[in-house]
Amino acid sequence: MRKTRQRDLILRVVCTHPGHPSLQDVYQMARQQMPRIGLATVYRHLEQLARAGVVRKVVLGDRVTRYDTNIGKHYHIRCVECGRIDDLPLSFMDTIHERISQSVGYQVLEHFLEVVGRCPACYHGVTVDNKAGRQ
Amino acid sequence: MRKTRQRDLILRVVCTHPGHPSLQDVYQMARQQMPRIGLATVYRHLEQLARAGVVRKVVLGDRVTRYDTNIGKHYHIRCVECGRIDDLPLSFMDTIHERISQSVGYQVLEHFLEVVGRCPACYHGVTVDNKAGRQ
DNA sequence: ATTGTTGCAAACGATTTGCAGGAGG
DNA sequence: CCTCCTGCAAATCGTTTGCAACAAT
C-alpha cells in the first residue's frame, strides 16, 4: 500500500474521532480538509484499515456501518432517537462461545450485543435527531 | 384494518414458516399462491403484523429484515456462509437492563445478542450459500 | 515507466413511498 | 359510495464497484 495524502488524512481523521464514526461521518470530516476527496476513497481505506485491524467494523440495528477505533472487545448502546453510539460498561462474555458451540452445532466465530435506548439528552426531551433509525 | 385475500395469505404464510423469513422470503412464498401480489403489499402487512405484536422484526449484521414468528424474547445465531438463522439456546438476560441503565445514563429499551458462526452444513464444506453477508 | 490510487458516476441490494385504479364494507 | 388496500413503479439510503485519469515510487 502506497503512502498518499488521502490515506494519511483518513487515518488521521478516523483516529482523531472520539466516537464511532460512520463512513459518511469520516467522509464529511475528510472533506473539510480535502474537498474533492471521493466517498469511494474513504470507503476503501476504511475497509483496508479494518482488514489490517486498526479499526473495527461495526454494524448495528440501524444498518449503518461504523468504524470503531476502540479495538478491544466490547459492546454498544445506541440511542433510538438521535443515533448516538456509546460503549457499554459491560464485561465481554468470552465464555459464550464455548457454551454455545456445545448446544448448537455451529462453529462460533464472534458475537455482538447491542442495547437500544434513549440517551440522556433525548430522554429529557432535548432530542437533536442527527439520524434516526429504529427496527 | 380490512380483511382481504392478501392479508389472509400473508398471515398464513408467515405463521406457517418455521424459520426466520425475510421480506423476500415471504414475498416469494406468497407469490406461489397469488402470483400478482406486490412486494409492497407484503411489506406493509408484515410491518403491520410487527406493530400488532404478531411477529417480531429482527435486523442482524447482514442488514436483512426478518420477521420472527417466535415472539418470546430470545437471541439468534447466523451462519456467515449461507445466511441461515437459528434461535440460540441461551437464557435471555433480563437483568441486563437494570444493570446498564445504572452505569450509562440511557433509558434502556431493549437489547439484542447475535452470534455469528458457521452452521453444521457449511462447517463441513457442504456450503449451499443461499445468501452470503458478513461484516 | 509501471502500477497502485483517486474521483466520478453508476450499480447494487434491500427497504420504503407515491399514486391511480380496484375491491371491501 | 366511500375508503382503504393493492400493484406497479419509482424513490431512497447507504454501500460497493468499474473505469479512465492520475500520482507515487
Side-chain angles (χ1 to χ4, degrees):
Chain A
M1 54 180 110
R2 275 176 192 173
K3 170 174 157 53
T4 66
R5 298 195 307 122
Q6 288 83 346
R7 184 177 167 69
D8 287 355
L9 174 57
I10 292 163
L11 185 59
R12 187 148 28 87
V13 162
V14 77
C15 288
T16 300
H17 196 106
H20 303 76
S22 65
L23 170 60
Q24 304 290 338
D25 290 337
V26 178
Y27 176 52
Q28 297 304 339
M29 297 211 66
R31 283 221 291 183
Q32 291 177 16
Q33 313 235 13
M34 192 185 286
R36 304 199 61 77
I37 197 171
L39 180 60
T41 303
V42 178
Y43 168 75
R44 284 185 277 237
H45 277 297
L46 287 175
E47 285 299 289
Q48 195 186 286
L49 288 171
R51 252 178 281 122
V54 179
V55 299
R56 182 180 276 268
K57 202 172 170 178
V58 177
V59 178
L60 300 178
D62 61 1
R63 295 185 166 91
V64 174
T65 304
R66 293 187 179 80
Y67 298 88
D68 196 342
T69 46
N70 176 355
I71 296 302
K73 294 176 175 180
H74 63 282
Y75 305 123
H76 296 106
I77 185 166
R78 173 171 61 91
C79 177
V80 86
E81 300 289 353
C82 70
R84 173 176 163 183
I85 308 289
D86 282 294
D87 289 351
L88 266 187
L90 199 66
S91 54
F92 196 83
M93 299 175 281
D94 289 296
T95 59
I96 225 173
H97 290 204
E98 303 124 50
R99 269 199 281 160
I100 286 170
S101 49
Q102 306 272 311
S103 36
V104 292
Y106 279 66
Q107 171 199 23
V108 176
L109 296 173
E110 47 184 354
H111 76 274
F112 309 97
L113 174 65
E114 175 185 4
V115 176
V116 175
R118 264 187 265 274
C119 73
C122 293
Y123 186 37
H124 296 103
V126 200
T127 307
V128 183
D129 210 348
N130 305 310
K131 49 188 83 169
R134 56 214 69 189
Q135 59 174 25
Chain B
M1 53 180 109
R2 275 178 190 172
K3 170 174 157 54
T4 65
R5 298 197 306 121
Q6 288 82 345
R7 183 178 167 68
D8 287 356
L9 173 58
I10 291 162
L11 185 60
R12 188 148 27 88
V13 162
V14 77
C15 288
T16 300
H17 196 106
H20 302 78
S22 66
L23 171 60
Q24 304 289 338
D25 290 338
V26 178
Y27 177 52
Q28 297 304 338
M29 298 210 66
R31 281 220 293 182
Q32 290 176 17
Q33 314 235 13
M34 192 185 285
R36 305 198 62 76
I37 197 171
L39 179 61
T41 303
V42 179
Y43 168 75
R44 284 185 277 237
H45 277 297
L46 287 176
E47 285 300 288
Q48 195 187 287
L49 288 171
R51 251 177 282 121
V54 180
V55 298
R56 182 181 276 268
K57 202 172 171 178
V58 177
V59 178
L60 300 179
D62 61 2
R63 295 186 166 92
V64 174
T65 303
R66 293 187 179 79
Y67 298 88
D68 197 340
T69 46
N70 177 355
I71 296 302
K73 294 175 176 181
H74 64 283
Y75 305 123
H76 297 105
I77 185 167
R78 172 171 61 93
C79 176
V80 87
E81 300 290 352
C82 71
R84 173 176 162 183
I85 308 289
D86 282 294
D87 289 350
L88 267 188
L90 197 67
S91 54
F92 196 83
M93 300 174 282
D94 289 296
T95 59
I96 224 171
H97 290 204
E98 302 123 51
R99 269 199 281 160
I100 286 170
S101 50
Q102 306 273 311
S103 36
V104 291
Y106 280 67
Q107 172 198 24
V108 176
L109 297 173
E110 48 186 351
H111 76 274
F112 309 97
L113 174 65
E114 174 186 5
V115 177
V116 175
R118 264 187 265 274
C119 73
C122 293
Y123 187 36
H124 296 102
V126 201
T127 307
V128 182
D129 209 347
N130 305 310
K131 50 189 82 171
R134 57 213 67 190
Q135 58 174 25

